[in-house]
């Protein structure tokens, strides 16, 4: 018998059933540790490939075939504005991306050039293969719904922390600053 994935992964109702704070805290710490290890995996991959981590992240964001503004990347990928701006300027300078006017505003659409798509595929091919293999291994052991459960947890955490520490994703103050304390 399979337990509901959200409950089994995040155990949102466990505290109400008397599991207690210690077990809940332990599960959250495991989840946060896993998040750090995933970030470290991408970081180490980028270093081994001789690619700046920020370039990897922006190429990943742009490799869906669509056009994106810097503001969309900042918002969707929670990257600092200055990091996205610096990385995009480098990609444009190196011929991997181009900026297209968007309406009458200052924001421009960032689109990978043909060379940029080749570069993204060259770098991301192994990332995508590793992600697919890791997902297949994970889904052979756990329900694929764990992805939605973790996403739901992230949204709830963002909302809860925003309520306790100031404005968050829905309001001002959601930009990440690289030099913030």
């Amino acid at each position: 018998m399979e337990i509901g994935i959200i409950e089994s992964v995040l155990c949102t109702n466990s505290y109400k059933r008397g599991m207690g704070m210690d077990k809940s805290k332990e599960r959250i710490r495991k989840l946060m540790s896993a998040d750090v290890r995933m970030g470290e995996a991408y970081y180490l991959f980028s270093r081994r490939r001789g690619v700046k981590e920020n370039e990897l992240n922006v190429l990943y964001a742009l490799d869906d075939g669509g056009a994106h503004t810097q503001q969309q990347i900042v918002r969707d990928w929670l990257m600092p504005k200055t990091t996205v701006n610096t990385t995009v300027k480098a990609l444009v300078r190196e011929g991997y991306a181009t900026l297209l006017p968007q309406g009458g505003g200052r924001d421009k659409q960032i689109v990978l050039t043909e060379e940029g798509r080749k570069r993204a595929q060259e770098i991301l091919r192994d990332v995508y293969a590793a992600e697919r293999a890791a997902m297949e291994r994970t889904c052979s052991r756990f329900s694929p719904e764990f992805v939605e459960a973790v996403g739901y947890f992230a949204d709830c955490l963002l909302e809860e922390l925003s309520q306790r520490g100031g404005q968050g994703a829905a309001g001002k103050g959601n930009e990440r600053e690289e030099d913030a304390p």
Side-chain angles (χ1 to χ4, degrees):
M1 178 193 291
E2 188 174 315
I3 299 173
I5 190 66
I6 290 178
E7 195 166 303
S8 67
V9 172
L10 303 178
C11 300
T12 55
N13 293 322
S14 298
Y15 186 76
K16 293 176 187 170
R17 288 195 308 263
M19 177 176 49
M21 186 61 87
D22 290 342
K23 193 69 168 171
S24 178
K25 185 175 181 179
E26 178 185 326
R27 287 188 168 134
I28 291 168
R29 290 180 65 83
K30 284 182 179 181
L31 185 60
M32 301 316 287
S33 175
D35 177 57
V36 170
R37 290 192 319 272
M38 286 188 292
E40 183 72 3
Y42 289 106
Y43 168 74
L44 291 173
F45 174 84
S46 68
R47 288 206 42 192
R48 284 192 303 271
R49 278 314 230 359
V51 176
K52 293 179 181 171
E53 182 181 17
N54 294 328
E55 180 183 0
L56 176 75
N57 294 337
V58 171
L59 286 174
Y60 197 106
L62 294 172
D63 193 44
D64 64 358
H68 303 274
T69 65
Q70 289 188 31
Q71 193 59 36
Q72 287 170 327
I73 295 171
V74 166
R75 183 190 64 235
D76 296 347
W77 295 88
L78 297 178
M79 295 176 67
K81 284 192 286 190
T82 54
T83 299
V84 173
N85 185 268
T86 301
T87 305
V88 168
K89 282 182 180 179
L91 290 172
V92 169
R93 186 176 52 252
E94 294 164 6
Y96 296 132
T98 189
L99 303 176
L100 304 174
Q102 174 189 333
R106 281 181 21 174
D107 260 350
K108 294 184 176 16
Q109 295 280 322
I110 308 156
V111 179
L112 291 176
T113 62
E114 184 60 35
E115 283 302 308
R117 284 190 292 279
K118 288 178 187 173
R119 173 127 174 104
Q121 284 305 305
E122 172 189 313
I123 293 168
L124 296 171
R125 180 180 310 117
D126 288 335
V127 170
Y128 295 151
E131 289 172 338
R132 257 189 317 278
M135 183 62 70
E136 287 172 9
R137 287 173 52 193
T138 303
C139 289
S140 72
R141 184 168 175 195
F142 301 98
S143 168
E145 291 174 341
F146 88 93
V147 175
E148 284 79 22
V150 172
Y152 180 77
F153 175 78
D155 292 342
C156 290
L157 182 61
L158 183 61
E159 182 182 314
E160 293 292 335
L161 289 175
S162 295
Q163 290 174 6
R164 288 163 175 76
Q167 294 177 324
K172 294 185 187 256
N174 62 325
E175 293 87 12
R176 297 173 80 187
E177 295 296 331
E178 293 166 301
D179 55 354

